[in-house]
Structure formats: C-alpha cells, structure tokens
Amino acid sequence: MPERNVVSWTAMISAYSQRGYASEALNLFVQMLRSGTEPNEFTFATVLTSCTGAFGFDNGRQIHSLIIKSRLESHIYVGSSLLDMYAKAGKIHEAREVFEGLPERDVVSCTAIISGYAQLGLDEKALELFCRLQREGMISNYVTYASVLTALSGLAALEHGKQVHNHVLRSELPSYVVLQNSLIDMYAKCGNLIYSRRIFDNMSERSVISWNAMLVGYSKHGMGKEAVELFKLMGQENKVQPDSITFLAVLSGCSHGGMEDRGLEIFYEMLSGKDGVEPEIEHYGCVVDLLGRAGLVEKAFKFIKQMPFEPTAAIWGSLLGACRVHRNVDIGEVVANQLLQIEPENAGNYVILSNLYASAGRWEDVGRVRELMNEKAVIKEPGMSWIELNETLHTFHASDRSHPRREEVFAKVGELSAKIKEAGYAPDLSCVLYDVDEEQKEKMLLGHSEKLALAFGLLGTPEGKPVRVIKNLRICVDCHNFAKLVSKVYRREVSLRDKNRFHHIVGGICSCGDYW
DNA sequence: ATAGGGTTAG
C-alpha cells in the first residue's frame, strides 16, 4: 500500500492475532509505532490478545504504559483485553485492579475476570465473583456460564452446578457446543456421569472436546470399558477426528480401569501411525502407568530408558507410585533418585518414597527421607478436603479447629474410628512422616482433612445417603482404608475425588482396585 | 473499514 492508516495496520495485526501468529502480530505493532502511526482503542484491544505465553507478559506491560499515555485504560474493550492479558500471565491482582478501575462493566469484562480466576484454579474466588456480579445485574451469556462451570468442576460443587444448568435452561440460550462441553465436564467432575452422558447423547453436534470431556469423565471414574467403547463409537461415527487429548483420555482410562492390555494395543496402534496422532511424551507416560499398574515395574523401567524422550518428573513419579503399590524397593530407590534430582521441591515424591520404605519395614530409611525433606526445606502443599451440603461448601484442613461444628466433627471421627476398628481397621502409621510416638501418630492420622470431611458428611446427611468428599491431593493409604471400612460398617456409598481420580466406594470395595 | 471474554489433558 502506498499509504497506510491506523485501520490498515490494525486489520493486519488482527489477522495475525486471530490465526495465532503472536510474534508476527507484535512485530507488526512495533513497525506501526516506528512508522509514526498512533494506535487507537481497536489496535490496543487487538494486540494485547497476542501477549500471552512466556514473553507475552513483558510486551503486555509495555503496551499497558502506552495505553495509559493514550488515556485509553478505561476503555471497555481495551480494559477487558488488558485484564485478560494480566490474568493469563497469572497476575490476577493486576487484572482485578484494571477491572475495578473500569468506569462501566459489561458481560465481556465480567466474564474475563471470572474466567481469569477460574483458569488459575482460584475456583472459590471465581464462584464468589460470579454470584456477586449476577446479583449486581450482570446478564450472563454462554461464555460466562462456561467459565463459571469450569470453577464448579474444580470445586465438584454439584448443587451449584445444577443451579447454573437451570439458569442456562431458563435463559433459553441456543445450544452452544462450548457450553454443553462445560456441562459434560462439570457433571463428570462432580461425580454424575449419567447426566454427562445424557447431555452428550442429546447434542446435535459434537466437537472433539465433547468426546474428550466424556472420555476423561469415564477415565477419572475408572470406567475403562466405557471409555474404550466410546472411543470406538467415535471411530465409527467418523465425524470428528481424535486428537492427542483423546488418546490421553482413553489411555489413562485403560490404566485407571485396569485394562492394561487394551491400553497397550491402543498405544501400539498410535505408534503404527494409522491414527494420525503421533504419541507425545504424555502418551508414553500413560504406558508407564499401564505397565506399573499391572505390576510390570521392571518392564516399565526399561520402557522409560528406551523412550525417544527425556523422562519428566511426572513419568518417574508415576513409576514410583507403582513401586509403592507393588512394594518394589529396589527399583523404587533408583527411580526416587532420578525423581528427586529433577523435582526436589515436590513434597508428594518424598511422601511416596517414605511410604515405600515403611511398607518394607525400613524405618531408618523412612527417617532418612524425613531428614532429607527437612534439609531441603520442602514445603508440603497443605492438604484440604471439602464437602458440599445444602449448597454450601465446607472446607477442612488437617486437624482443623476452625469449623463451627469442630467438636462434633472430632467426636464423630473418634466414633467412626472405634467402630471400624471392630471391623478390622488398623491405623497405618507409616502414613505419618513426622517423628513422633505412635499415639501421636494415630492422633495425627485421625486429623486428616478427608476424615473430617467424611465425618461431617455422615453427620449432615440422612442414613443411607451417599457422601461425596473432595480432596486437593492424592488420598493417603490410611484414609483410603478408613473410608472403605466406613462405607462397609455404616452402609454408605462414599465417593471420594482426589487429585487424580474418583474413588467410588461401596460395601468396603473401592473402584480404584487399591491402585491410585 | 480495525476491537475484548470461552470448553477437554497426563
């Protein structure tokens, strides 16, 4: 063009942004500034969408100062884009500041800040803000609902999720695939796969994400057979091509469902190249998990050594878990050495190694792991559990003394413990990492957050009603035992969602087959 | 003429 104006520059930047060419978009923006063309509100709103990822944040901050100079910080489109940039960079306080500084709000700016919290896993904040903004008159649209549903998935807040679903139905929105995908995911992660499947079956159109969300649901519930069947159906329908997440979901479904052979078949078919999806390191990780679960710890170890990738902490971690379950101390030690080199700051690794030593009665080594943790000053992510009762989320930390009904809850844990001991419960003291006497250890075990939440659930619901508990970390062996015996003695279904999967416990038997 | 927020993962 012999001449360009702000519109020509912006249109071109927008074209690059929309196609995902972030660095080209940013380069063009710099060229624009050099050419002396003054960016306007359209330009800023556009170019900020390319400021994500590793080096995006520095650019975003610099662009922010240009925006301030241009006095466009309070512009609703620019502001939304700006706060989204900060949120995606993990700078949620900066995002919130921009949001609060906006002279007017609309559904997009509100959704941007809600989803900002949700994407960072600050699910309660996201929910709180959604409720407040809705009280203040925000008219949600399908993107808003999809965003808040993400937060509700994280919280496993089924009753809240149903309410949002009701809102959606009443608002008579057209059936957006994105929104239905969110609903599938929400119901699955809240433990209600029947609802997920109903929504899935009623969709007139499905994206690959619809299939993936459903597959992940089956996988997290240990329903390998259903996952494989759905995967087959996807192939037969042949409308949507599976992607790398589809394979991750079905492979981990096989793993959690105890279908090692089927999982390996699928992996080798991927390797053959006829699926059009090449296995990535995460898929190799699923195979390690499959082999480990089957007790083929040595084979898994060899598999890692001949992978075309450098093993990650997640892969070593998965094998260490297998060593713990199958009590293979020899390989476990080698694996732990590798793992602690790559990821010395992850407390979970030490916990599993310590459990492994404890299961073999190697108490001096247990002590050594504990000292190693102290030396490296590893900070354990605080374990917490929660339960939803009457549309309220009740959160518990270990030995929590903050809950208003704590006395009752502690008493109930004591009662449960005494009663299930008659049925054979023996506290697994090897789950305690601290060097204290046995009585103290048992006391600490009884203070674990999931036991408090479970006890609270039994107190707050009528006999025979299932109890749903959610835990932010992997559940420990002792709490798993405890929950199994409670389900048996008290005749309650216990559904326990931990960091990795659902434990569906009925009559003392857990759907995870004691491998997790 | 050019513009902002969204769903699935090991």
Side-chain angles (χ1 to χ4, degrees), chain A residues 80 106 119 141-143 178 181 212 282:
Chain A
S80 310
D106 64 4
Q119 282 168 16
N141 65 19
Y142 79 102
V143 183
V178 168
N181 293 346
N212 292 353
E282 291 87 349

Short mmCIF file of all heavy atoms in Angstrom, two decimals, chain A residues 80 106 119 141-143 178 181 212 282, chain B:
data_model
loop_
_atom_site.label_atom_id
_atom_site.label_comp_id
_atom_site.label_asym_id
_atom_site.label_seq_id
_atom_site.Cartn_x
_atom_site.Cartn_y
_atom_site.Cartn_z
N SER A 80 -10.84 -4.77 29.00
CA SER A 80 -11.11 -6.22 29.05
C SER A 80 -9.92 -7.00 28.54
O SER A 80 -9.52 -8.02 29.12
CB SER A 80 -12.32 -6.58 28.19
OG SER A 80 -13.40 -5.76 28.48
N ASP A 106 -19.34 -4.60 31.34
CA ASP A 106 -20.32 -5.34 30.55
C ASP A 106 -20.05 -6.82 30.71
O ASP A 106 -19.16 -7.22 31.48
CB ASP A 106 -20.30 -4.89 29.08
CG ASP A 106 -18.97 -5.21 28.41
OD1 ASP A 106 -18.11 -5.84 29.05
OD2 ASP A 106 -18.80 -4.83 27.24
N GLN A 119 -9.29 -19.95 35.56
CA GLN A 119 -8.17 -20.55 34.86
C GLN A 119 -6.96 -20.73 35.76
O GLN A 119 -6.11 -21.58 35.53
CB GLN A 119 -7.79 -19.70 33.64
CG GLN A 119 -8.74 -19.93 32.46
CD GLN A 119 -8.56 -18.88 31.37
OE1 GLN A 119 -7.55 -18.18 31.33
NE2 GLN A 119 -9.54 -18.78 30.49
N ASN A 141 -23.95 -14.62 29.58
CA ASN A 141 -24.17 -15.31 28.31
C ASN A 141 -23.47 -16.66 28.34
O ASN A 141 -22.97 -17.08 29.38
CB ASN A 141 -23.74 -14.42 27.13
CG ASN A 141 -22.24 -14.16 27.13
OD1 ASN A 141 -21.47 -14.88 27.77
ND2 ASN A 141 -21.84 -13.14 26.42
N TYR A 142 -23.39 -17.32 27.22
CA TYR A 142 -22.89 -18.70 27.27
C TYR A 142 -21.42 -18.77 27.67
O TYR A 142 -20.99 -19.75 28.28
CB TYR A 142 -23.15 -19.42 25.94
CG TYR A 142 -22.19 -19.11 24.82
CD1 TYR A 142 -21.19 -20.01 24.49
CD2 TYR A 142 -22.27 -17.92 24.09
CE1 TYR A 142 -20.30 -19.75 23.46
CE2 TYR A 142 -21.41 -17.65 23.07
CZ TYR A 142 -20.41 -18.56 22.76
OH TYR A 142 -19.54 -18.29 21.76
N VAL A 143 -20.64 -17.73 27.35
CA VAL A 143 -19.23 -17.76 27.74
C VAL A 143 -19.10 -17.62 29.26
O VAL A 143 -18.28 -18.30 29.90
CB VAL A 143 -18.43 -16.64 27.04
CG1 VAL A 143 -16.95 -16.73 27.38
CG2 VAL A 143 -18.61 -16.73 25.53
N VAL A 178 -19.88 -25.28 23.05
CA VAL A 178 -18.93 -24.95 24.12
C VAL A 178 -19.58 -25.08 25.49
O VAL A 178 -18.99 -25.63 26.43
CB VAL A 178 -18.41 -23.50 23.92
CG1 VAL A 178 -17.67 -23.03 25.16
CG2 VAL A 178 -17.52 -23.43 22.70
N ASN A 181 -20.26 -28.67 26.36
CA ASN A 181 -19.00 -29.30 26.75
C ASN A 181 -18.70 -29.03 28.22
O ASN A 181 -18.29 -29.92 28.97
CB ASN A 181 -17.85 -28.80 25.89
CG ASN A 181 -17.97 -29.25 24.45
OD1 ASN A 181 -18.75 -30.14 24.13
ND2 ASN A 181 -17.20 -28.63 23.57
N ASN A 212 -13.79 -35.72 24.19
CA ASN A 212 -12.71 -35.77 25.16
C ASN A 212 -13.24 -35.60 26.59
O ASN A 212 -12.81 -36.32 27.50
CB ASN A 212 -11.67 -34.69 24.87
CG ASN A 212 -10.90 -34.97 23.59
OD1 ASN A 212 -11.07 -36.03 22.99
ND2 ASN A 212 -10.08 -34.03 23.17
N GLU A 282 3.56 -37.45 26.95
CA GLU A 282 2.48 -37.75 27.89
C GLU A 282 1.86 -39.12 27.60
O GLU A 282 1.43 -39.82 28.52
CB GLU A 282 1.39 -36.68 27.83
CG GLU A 282 1.82 -35.33 28.39
CD GLU A 282 2.48 -34.45 27.35
OE1 GLU A 282 2.82 -34.94 26.24
OE2 GLU A 282 2.68 -33.26 27.64
P DA B 1 -17.41 1.54 7.74
OP1 DA B 1 -18.80 1.17 7.98
OP2 DA B 1 -16.93 2.82 8.32
"O5'" DA B 1 -16.49 0.36 8.25
"C5'" DA B 1 -16.49 -0.84 7.50
"C4'" DA B 1 -15.07 -1.28 7.27
"O4'" DA B 1 -14.32 -0.18 6.70
"C3'" DA B 1 -14.35 -1.66 8.57
"O3'" DA B 1 -13.80 -2.95 8.42
"C2'" DA B 1 -13.25 -0.64 8.75
"C1'" DA B 1 -13.07 -0.04 7.38
N9 DA B 1 -12.81 1.38 7.48
C8 DA B 1 -13.50 2.33 8.16
N7 DA B 1 -13.00 3.54 8.04
C5 DA B 1 -11.89 3.36 7.21
C6 DA B 1 -10.94 4.24 6.69
N6 DA B 1 -10.95 5.55 6.95
N1 DA B 1 -9.99 3.74 5.89
C2 DA B 1 -10.00 2.44 5.63
N3 DA B 1 -10.84 1.51 6.06
C4 DA B 1 -11.77 2.04 6.84
P DT B 2 -14.09 -4.02 9.59
OP1 DT B 2 -13.99 -5.35 9.00
OP2 DT B 2 -15.30 -3.58 10.31
"O5'" DT B 2 -12.85 -3.78 10.56
"C5'" DT B 2 -11.57 -4.31 10.20
"C4'" DT B 2 -10.57 -3.96 11.27
"O4'" DT B 2 -10.34 -2.53 11.26
"C3'" DT B 2 -11.04 -4.24 12.68
"O3'" DT B 2 -10.70 -5.57 13.00
"C2'" DT B 2 -10.21 -3.27 13.51
"C1'" DT B 2 -9.95 -2.12 12.55
N1 DT B 2 -10.70 -0.87 12.87
C2 DT B 2 -9.98 0.20 13.33
O2 DT B 2 -8.78 0.20 13.46
N3 DT B 2 -10.75 1.31 13.62
C4 DT B 2 -12.11 1.42 13.50
O4 DT B 2 -12.68 2.46 13.80
C5 DT B 2 -12.80 0.24 13.01
C7 DT B 2 -14.29 0.25 12.86
C6 DT B 2 -12.06 -0.83 12.73
P DA B 3 -11.76 -6.50 13.80
OP1 DA B 3 -11.28 -7.87 13.72
OP2 DA B 3 -13.13 -6.14 13.36
"O5'" DA B 3 -11.58 -5.98 15.27
"C5'" DA B 3 -10.28 -5.98 15.89
"C4'" DA B 3 -10.43 -5.68 17.35
"O4'" DA B 3 -11.11 -4.42 17.50
"C3'" DA B 3 -11.29 -6.68 18.09
"O3'" DA B 3 -10.43 -7.63 18.67
"C2'" DA B 3 -11.97 -5.84 19.18
"C1'" DA B 3 -11.71 -4.42 18.77
N9 DA B 3 -12.92 -3.61 18.65
C8 DA B 3 -13.95 -3.79 17.78
N7 DA B 3 -14.90 -2.89 17.89
C5 DA B 3 -14.45 -2.07 18.91
C6 DA B 3 -14.99 -0.94 19.53
N6 DA B 3 -16.16 -0.39 19.18
N1 DA B 3 -14.28 -0.37 20.52
C2 DA B 3 -13.11 -0.91 20.87
N3 DA B 3 -12.50 -1.97 20.37
C4 DA B 3 -13.23 -2.50 19.39
P DG B 4 -10.99 -9.00 19.22
OP1 DG B 4 -9.91 -9.98 19.05
OP2 DG B 4 -12.31 -9.23 18.62
"O5'" DG B 4 -11.20 -8.73 20.77
"C5'" DG B 4 -10.07 -8.40 21.58
"C4'" DG B 4 -10.50 -8.29 23.02
"O4'" DG B 4 -11.51 -7.27 23.13
"C3'" DG B 4 -11.18 -9.54 23.57
"O3'" DG B 4 -10.17 -10.42 24.07
"C2'" DG B 4 -12.00 -8.96 24.73
"C1'" DG B 4 -12.34 -7.56 24.25
N9 DG B 4 -13.72 -7.43 23.81
C8 DG B 4 -14.27 -7.83 22.62
N7 DG B 4 -15.55 -7.58 22.54
C5 DG B 4 -15.85 -6.97 23.74
C6 DG B 4 -17.09 -6.47 24.24
O6 DG B 4 -18.18 -6.48 23.69
N1 DG B 4 -16.94 -5.93 25.51
C2 DG B 4 -15.77 -5.87 26.21
N2 DG B 4 -15.83 -5.32 27.43
N3 DG B 4 -14.61 -6.33 25.77
C4 DG B 4 -14.73 -6.85 24.53
P DG B 5 -10.33 -11.96 23.94
OP1 DG B 5 -9.00 -12.52 24.18
OP2 DG B 5 -11.06 -12.25 22.70
"O5'" DG B 5 -11.28 -12.33 25.17
"C5'" DG B 5 -10.81 -12.23 26.50
"C4'" DG B 5 -11.88 -12.73 27.45
"O4'" DG B 5 -13.10 -12.02 27.21
"C3'" DG B 5 -12.23 -14.20 27.27
"O3'" DG B 5 -11.39 -14.98 28.09
"C2'" DG B 5 -13.67 -14.24 27.79
"C1'" DG B 5 -14.21 -12.87 27.43
N9 DG B 5 -15.03 -12.87 26.22
C8 DG B 5 -14.59 -12.81 24.92
N7 DG B 5 -15.57 -12.82 24.06
C5 DG B 5 -16.72 -12.89 24.85
C6 DG B 5 -18.09 -12.93 24.48
O6 DG B 5 -18.57 -12.92 23.35
N1 DG B 5 -18.91 -13.00 25.59
C2 DG B 5 -18.48 -13.01 26.89
N2 DG B 5 -19.41 -13.08 27.83
N3 DG B 5 -17.21 -12.97 27.25
C4 DG B 5 -16.39 -12.91 26.18
P DG B 6 -10.84 -16.34 27.57
OP1 DG B 6 -9.98 -16.88 28.63
OP2 DG B 6 -10.34 -16.15 26.19
"O5'" DG B 6 -12.15 -17.23 27.46
"C5'" DG B 6 -12.88 -17.56 28.64
"C4'" DG B 6 -13.82 -18.68 28.32
"O4'" DG B 6 -14.61 -18.33 27.17
"C3'" DG B 6 -13.12 -19.98 27.92
"O3'" DG B 6 -12.90 -20.73 29.08
"C2'" DG B 6 -14.18 -20.66 27.03
"C1'" DG B 6 -14.96 -19.49 26.45
N9 DG B 6 -14.70 -19.25 25.05
C8 DG B 6 -13.61 -18.63 24.49
N7 DG B 6 -13.68 -18.57 23.19
C5 DG B 6 -14.89 -19.17 22.88
C6 DG B 6 -15.52 -19.41 21.63
O6 DG B 6 -15.11 -19.11 20.51
N1 DG B 6 -16.74 -20.06 21.77
C2 DG B 6 -17.29 -20.43 22.97
N2 DG B 6 -18.47 -21.04 22.93
N3 DG B 6 -16.72 -20.22 24.14
C4 DG B 6 -15.53 -19.59 24.02
P DT B 7 -11.91 -21.91 29.02
OP1 DT B 7 -11.47 -22.10 30.41
OP2 DT B 7 -10.94 -21.66 27.93
"O5'" DT B 7 -12.79 -23.16 28.60
"C5'" DT B 7 -13.90 -23.56 29.41
"C4'" DT B 7 -14.51 -24.81 28.85
"O4'" DT B 7 -14.98 -24.55 27.53
"C3'" DT B 7 -13.51 -25.95 28.68
"O3'" DT B 7 -13.48 -26.70 29.86
"C2'" DT B 7 -14.12 -26.75 27.53
"C1'" DT B 7 -14.94 -25.73 26.76
N1 DT B 7 -14.38 -25.39 25.42
C2 DT B 7 -15.00 -25.89 24.31
O2 DT B 7 -15.97 -26.61 24.36
N3 DT B 7 -14.42 -25.54 23.12
C4 DT B 7 -13.32 -24.73 22.95
O4 DT B 7 -12.91 -24.48 21.83
C5 DT B 7 -12.73 -24.22 24.17
C7 DT B 7 -11.52 -23.33 24.08
C6 DT B 7 -13.28 -24.56 25.32
P DT B 8 -12.10 -27.10 30.48
OP1 DT B 8 -12.38 -27.42 31.90
OP2 DT B 8 -11.06 -26.13 30.13
"O5'" DT B 8 -11.82 -28.44 29.70
"C5'" DT B 8 -12.73 -29.53 29.82
"C4'" DT B 8 -12.22 -30.71 29.06
"O4'" DT B 8 -12.17 -30.38 27.66
"C3'" DT B 8 -10.79 -31.10 29.38
"O3'" DT B 8 -10.77 -31.94 30.50
"C2'" DT B 8 -10.38 -31.84 28.12
"C1'" DT B 8 -11.18 -31.15 27.02
N1 DT B 8 -10.35 -30.24 26.19
C2 DT B 8 -10.00 -30.65 24.94
O2 DT B 8 -10.33 -31.73 24.48
N3 DT B 8 -9.23 -29.77 24.24
C4 DT B 8 -8.79 -28.53 24.66
O4 DT B 8 -8.11 -27.84 23.93
C5 DT B 8 -9.20 -28.16 25.98
C7 DT B 8 -8.78 -26.83 26.54
C6 DT B 8 -9.96 -29.01 26.68
P DA B 9 -9.57 -31.88 31.50
OP1 DA B 9 -9.91 -32.82 32.57
OP2 DA B 9 -9.17 -30.49 31.78
"O5'" DA B 9 -8.41 -32.52 30.60
"C5'" DA B 9 -8.49 -33.90 30.24
"C4'" DA B 9 -7.10 -34.43 30.10
"O4'" DA B 9 -6.44 -33.73 29.02
"C3'" DA B 9 -6.24 -34.21 31.33
"O3'" DA B 9 -5.53 -35.37 31.63
"C2'" DA B 9 -5.30 -33.10 30.96
"C1'" DA B 9 -5.20 -33.22 29.46
N9 DA B 9 -5.03 -31.91 28.86
C8 DA B 9 -5.84 -30.82 28.96
N7 DA B 9 -5.41 -29.76 28.32
C5 DA B 9 -4.23 -30.20 27.74
C6 DA B 9 -3.28 -29.57 26.93
N6 DA B 9 -3.38 -28.30 26.53
N1 DA B 9 -2.22 -30.30 26.53
C2 DA B 9 -2.11 -31.57 26.92
N3 DA B 9 -2.93 -32.26 27.68
C4 DA B 9 -3.98 -31.53 28.06
P DG B 10 -5.83 -36.00 33.04
OP1 DG B 10 -7.11 -36.69 32.90
OP2 DG B 10 -5.63 -34.99 34.08
"O5'" DG B 10 -4.67 -37.08 33.18
"C5'" DG B 10 -4.55 -38.14 32.24
"C4'" DG B 10 -3.07 -38.33 31.97
"O4'" DG B 10 -2.62 -37.26 31.13
"C3'" DG B 10 -2.24 -38.28 33.23
"O3'" DG B 10 -1.95 -39.63 33.64
"C2'" DG B 10 -0.96 -37.61 32.80
"C1'" DG B 10 -1.36 -36.77 31.59
N9 DG B 10 -1.51 -35.36 31.90
C8 DG B 10 -2.22 -34.77 32.92
N7 DG B 10 -2.18 -33.47 32.90
C5 DG B 10 -1.41 -33.17 31.79
C6 DG B 10 -1.01 -31.93 31.25
O6 DG B 10 -1.27 -30.80 31.65
N1 DG B 10 -0.23 -32.09 30.11
C2 DG B 10 0.12 -33.29 29.57
N2 DG B 10 0.89 -33.25 28.49
N3 DG B 10 -0.24 -34.45 30.04
C4 DG B 10 -1.00 -34.33 31.17
#
